């Protein structure tokens, strides 16, 4: 591999390390919020969860859904708690108590130093509710909705910058599913009204809910025909699972994610050309992760309970490897992907788990997310890579070496993220970094495990990184050993 200071992809937008909290399962109730818990603060937020979220340095949080937002009345979640209605939550078939709503969530995000990416309901609702909601959140004072917020104890506007125009509106599971034509028109008009209220906001239009959708990528093209001028980003969602227990194939899914990003970029640029527009549409990869372990358990959950344990995937070691690969894919496309959200953050397909009344703990996927969020700030560099390849059921020519490079100019740090996809053999990596004169190896962090299926649990976090990786540098060339099926972070300064 050759890495050079001048081979720049882009300055990374920190918001690609975002995450997502939906009113789903135990994400909010029993996750971030549990009044009466020994770790609860004066507002009922769990301090143990806050400190784990801070370890991840999450810059932006998508809220309140997800599928849930498509039948959500934001008004239910503001004002005096005792007057808030309990509602049937149709997406996940639970009961929503509305104990937590917009204002409380804003309070929580201040505690974890994150900004909010707020979604409006374009399933059952539309322009009118969205314009009222943004007036409630962002208008300073002197109008019905802004003064209502002030009467609820929030004198200063929340100044929420980023807004999602609905969620996965192409999905048949969505309450209020729409055709691309219907959605495009509604999103454009809603966005127009929202920007009239607050022209400083950024808007994310819904792309397809996955690259496997039959309407992909025509959905993007039609939606963008309508929304190109008013929207600032188009969303991408993607989840992977190792359902056939084919690990070599599973670990190659970064290639699928890469193709997805490239296709969406091409579609955006096609519409740009058609419209003779000077504006370049950027991408918000606002749901991504591994999700499949909990599918069977979820099918057995009785409807209409409060905060049941839904989507509680227990992640294994190979899931952590793929999560590392997905993060590197985002880095390699940081010229167009400006926002991304690991879905989700606490208890629901999450890096952080809690016991109700008990402790919080880290899943395997916590670590690659933490590494890339911590050391992946700066400029993404394009490495020149030569790697042996393999074929799988779904992919050909999969490089064993998957990598992304970040140069933090301010701190004068260079970080090599690298995955060895080979399940049986180590990779000897030789890496020319001669343009980084005088740089020495600071540490080589490794996640490895004999058992691809090893998981963490409360009190037994056996899948964790160490920093005893083997790397040396001589005359500007790094020699390093990437052990079989391993995630590596090689840091130089
Ligand atoms: O993150 C879980 C769900 O996945 C979200 O609610 C939805 O947007 C997607 O289908």
């Amino acid at each position: 591999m050759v890495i050079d200071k001048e081979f720049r992809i882009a300055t990374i937008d920190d918001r690609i390390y975002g995450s997502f909290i939906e009113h789903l399962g135990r994400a909010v109730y029993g996750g971030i919020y549990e009044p009466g818990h020994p770790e609860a603060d004066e507002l009922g937020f769990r301090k143990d969860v806050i400190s784990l979220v801070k370890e991840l340095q999450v810059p932006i949080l998508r809220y309140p859904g997800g599928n849930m937002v498509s039948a959500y009345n934001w008004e239910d979640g503001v004002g005096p708690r005792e007057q808030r209605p309990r509602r049937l939550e149709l997406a996940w078939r639970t009961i929503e108590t509305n104990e937590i709503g917009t204002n409380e969530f804003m309070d929580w995000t201040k505690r974890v130093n994150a900004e909010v990416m707020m979604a409006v309901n374009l399933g059952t609702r539309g322009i009118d509710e969205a314009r009222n909601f943004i007036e409630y959140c962002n208008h300073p004072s002197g109008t019905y909705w802004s003064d209502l917020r002030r009467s609820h104890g929030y004198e200063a506007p929340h100044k929420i910058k980023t807004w999602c125009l609905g969620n996965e509106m192409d999905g048949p599971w969505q309450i209020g599913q729409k055709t691309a034509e219907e959605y495009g028109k509604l999103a454009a008009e809603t966005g127009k009204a929202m920007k009239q209220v607050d022209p400083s906001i950024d808007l994310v239009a819904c792309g397809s809910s996955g690259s496997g959708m039959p309407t992909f990528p025509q959905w993007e093209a039609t939606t963008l025909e309508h929304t190109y001028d008013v929207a600032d980003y188009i969303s991408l969602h993607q989840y992977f699972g190792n359902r056939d227990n084919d690990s070599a194939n599973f670990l190659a899914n970064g290639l699928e994610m890469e193709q997805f990003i490239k296709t969406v970029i091409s579609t955006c640029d096609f519409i740009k050309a058609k419209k003779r527009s000077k504006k370049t549409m950027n991408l918000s990869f606002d749901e991504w992760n591994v999700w499949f372990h909990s599918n069977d358990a979820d099918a057995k959950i009785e409807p209409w309970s409060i905060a049941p344990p839904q989507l509680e995937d227990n992640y294994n070691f190979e899931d952590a490897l793929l999560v590392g690969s997905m993060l590197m894919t985002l880095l390699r496309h940081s010229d167009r992907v400006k926002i991304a959200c690991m879905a989700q953050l606490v208890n629901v397909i999450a890096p952080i788990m809690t016991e109700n009344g008990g402790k919080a703990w880290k899943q395997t996927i916590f670590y690659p997310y933490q590494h890339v969020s911590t050391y992946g700030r700066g400029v993404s560099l394009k490495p020149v890579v030569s790697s042996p390849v393999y074929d799988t059921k779904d992919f050909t020519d999969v490089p064993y070496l998957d990598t992304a490079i970040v140069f933090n100019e301010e701190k004068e740090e260079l970080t090599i993220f690298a995955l060895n996809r080979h399940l049986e053999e180590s990779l000897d990596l030789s890496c020319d970094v001669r343009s980084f004169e005088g740089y020495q190896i600071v540490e080589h962090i490794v996640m490895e495990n004999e058992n691809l299926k090893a998981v963490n649990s409360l009190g037994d976090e056996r899948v964790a990184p160490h920093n005893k990786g083997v790397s040396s540098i001589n005359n500007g060339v790094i020699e390093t050993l990437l052990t079989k099926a391993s995630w590596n972070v090689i840091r130089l300064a």
Side-chain angles (χ1 to χ4, degrees):
M1 171 156 74
V2 179
I3 300 171
D4 193 287
K5 263 188 186 149
E6 304 305 325
F7 300 170
R8 299 162 81 97
I9 297 171
T11 298
I12 298 154
D13 190 320
D14 292 346
R15 294 174 303 168
I16 68 168
Y17 304 125
S19 190
F20 178 25
I21 291 279
E22 177 166 4
H23 280 250
L24 193 188
R26 298 190 307 121
V28 174
Y29 308 110
I32 65 170
Y33 176 74
E34 196 177 345
H37 188 280
E39 289 276 351
D41 68 12
E42 72 287 1
L43 293 182
F45 294 123
R46 286 183 60 155
K47 288 184 278 186
D48 53 348
V49 174
I50 289 171
S51 77
L52 290 178
V53 174
K54 280 179 158 172
E55 279 188 46
L56 291 171
Q57 301 183 49
V58 182
I60 190 164
L61 282 157
R62 190 160 170 257
Y63 177 85
N67 296 339
M68 171 269 190
V69 82
S70 294
Y72 180 55
N73 298 340
W74 66 269
E75 302 89 332
D76 292 346
V78 297
R81 272 205 172 118
E82 59 288 0
Q83 289 168 25
R84 296 187 192 174
R86 287 157 74 104
R87 298 259 188 217
L88 292 183
E89 197 293 291
L90 300 188
W92 304 103
R93 308 195 73 220
T94 57
I95 289 180
E96 172 57 57
T97 63
N98 286 303
E99 235 177 296
I100 294 288
T102 302
N103 295 319
E104 292 82 18
F105 190 70
M106 297 306 297
D107 287 335
W108 184 73
T109 54
K110 286 199 184 81
R111 286 161 161 73
V112 297
N113 307 320
E115 63 172 289
V116 172
M117 181 177 185
M118 186 67 80
V120 300
N121 172 356
L122 291 190
T124 60
R125 311 186 89 187
I127 306 170
D128 209 33
E129 292 80 5
R131 72 166 174 132
N132 295 344
F133 190 22
I134 192 166
E135 183 181 318
Y136 180 91
C137 291
N138 283 13
H139 194 72
S141 64
T143 64
Y144 177 79
W145 293 107
S146 59
D147 287 343
L148 186 65
R149 181 200 67 242
R150 293 170 64 228
S151 77
H152 292 159
Y154 293 82
E155 179 63 34
H158 294 312
K159 295 189 181 159
I160 299 168
K161 168 98 179 139
T162 314
W163 293 78
C164 302
L165 294 163
N167 176 71
E168 295 190 348
M169 297 309 307
D170 60 332
W173 56 87
Q174 209 66 224
I175 307 293
Q177 181 199 7
K178 298 190 167 41
T179 64
E181 195 68 36
E182 289 164 346
Y183 170 71
K185 278 188 189 160
L186 179 62
E189 290 306 315
T190 305
K192 186 168 85 186
M194 290 172 77
K195 283 195 169 174
Q196 285 291 101
V197 177
D198 182 353
S200 74
I201 60 168
D202 284 343
L203 293 170
V204 184
C206 285
S208 300
S209 44
S211 55
M213 295 300 287
T215 46
F216 174 76
Q218 185 57 50
W219 171 277
E220 277 72 3
T222 308
T223 294
L224 287 171
E225 289 270 7
H226 291 284
T227 60
Y228 203 87
D229 292 337
V230 76
D232 302 279
Y233 305 89
I234 181 116
S235 75
L236 296 83
H237 291 182
Q238 195 162 42
Y239 296 97
F240 295 115
N242 191 3
R243 292 185 174 81
D244 312 331
N245 195 18
D246 180 345
S247 299
N249 192 54
F250 177 64
L251 291 181
N253 274 313
L255 274 67
E256 171 72 28
M257 185 178 185
E258 188 121 34
Q259 191 53 48
F260 185 21
I261 292 173
K262 285 182 180 166
T263 308
V264 175
I265 291 173
S266 308
T267 311
C268 291
D269 293 349
F270 165 68
I271 301 297
K272 176 181 181 176
K274 245 186 118 176
K275 288 187 173 285
R276 310 311 190 241
S277 175
K278 288 199 165 40
K279 169 173 160 185
T280 298
M281 184 65 59
N282 282 321
L283 278 51
S284 170
F285 213 123
D286 47 45
E287 286 190 32
W288 67 267
N289 204 346
V290 172
W291 172 16
F292 75 111
H293 296 286
S294 58
N295 293 168
D296 292 342
D298 285 337
K300 294 182 194 123
I301 291 176
E302 285 293 314
W304 315 131
S305 58
I306 297 172
Q310 289 169 310
L311 280 64
E312 298 206 359
D313 275 38
N314 191 194
Y315 290 111
N316 60 31
F317 172 58
E318 68 182 6
D319 298 329
L321 297 179
L322 183 62
V323 160
S325 177
M326 295 179 87
L327 284 158
M328 292 191 292
T329 308
L330 295 170
L331 279 175
R332 288 193 299 269
H333 290 281
S334 51
D335 53 335
R336 294 297 286 273
V337 180
K338 299 294 176 187
I339 303 174
C341 304
M342 177 191 257
Q344 300 191 8
L345 187 59
V346 183
N347 288 333
V348 171
I349 42 174
I352 298 169
M353 298 299 290
T354 68
E355 288 252 300
N356 288 354
K359 293 210 171 351
W361 53 279
K362 296 173 184 173
Q363 296 242 43
T364 61
I365 62 169
F366 184 95
Y367 295 104
Y369 182 20
Q370 181 188 32
H371 294 153
V372 184
S373 177
T374 306
Y375 302 118
R377 314 260 173 161
V379 176
S380 173
L381 297 180
K382 187 175 172 55
V384 179
V385 180
S386 149
S387 164
V389 295
Y390 68 102
D391 293 341
T392 70
K393 179 166 69 69
D394 298 324
F395 305 96
T396 47
D397 293 336
V398 182
Y400 283 112
L401 174 63
D402 188 8
T403 187
I405 316 296
V406 176
F407 176 34
N408 189 322
E409 288 172 294
E410 234 171 78
K411 294 188 174 165
E412 299 191 317
E413 284 177 6
L414 176 69
T415 303
I416 301 168
F417 300 103
L419 166 68
N420 177 6
R421 289 185 172 116
H422 206 302
L423 301 179
E424 272 101 40
E425 290 173 22
S426 306
L427 266 183
D428 284 315
L429 172 64
S430 171
C431 180
D432 182 333
V433 288
R434 270 175 288 195
S435 69
F436 292 90
E437 217 189 314
Y439 276 58
Q440 298 298 320
I441 289 162
V442 174
E443 76 177 327
H444 177 170
I445 304 168
V446 186
M447 269 185 93
E448 55 190 344
N449 203 292
E450 273 306 316
N451 180 5
L452 289 173
K453 309 296 178 191
V455 295
N456 289 348
S457 57
L458 178 65
D460 183 6
E461 294 179 26
R462 62 180 63 193
V463 185
H466 63 76
N467 63 359
K468 299 188 192 75
V470 181
S471 287
S472 60
I473 182 163
N474 263 313
N475 297 324
V477 179
I478 302 170
E479 297 294 343
T480 187
L481 184 83
L482 308 180
T483 53
K484 67 176 183 183
S486 65
W487 163 251
N488 300 265
V489 183
I490 303 165
R491 300 180 51 227
L492 290 91

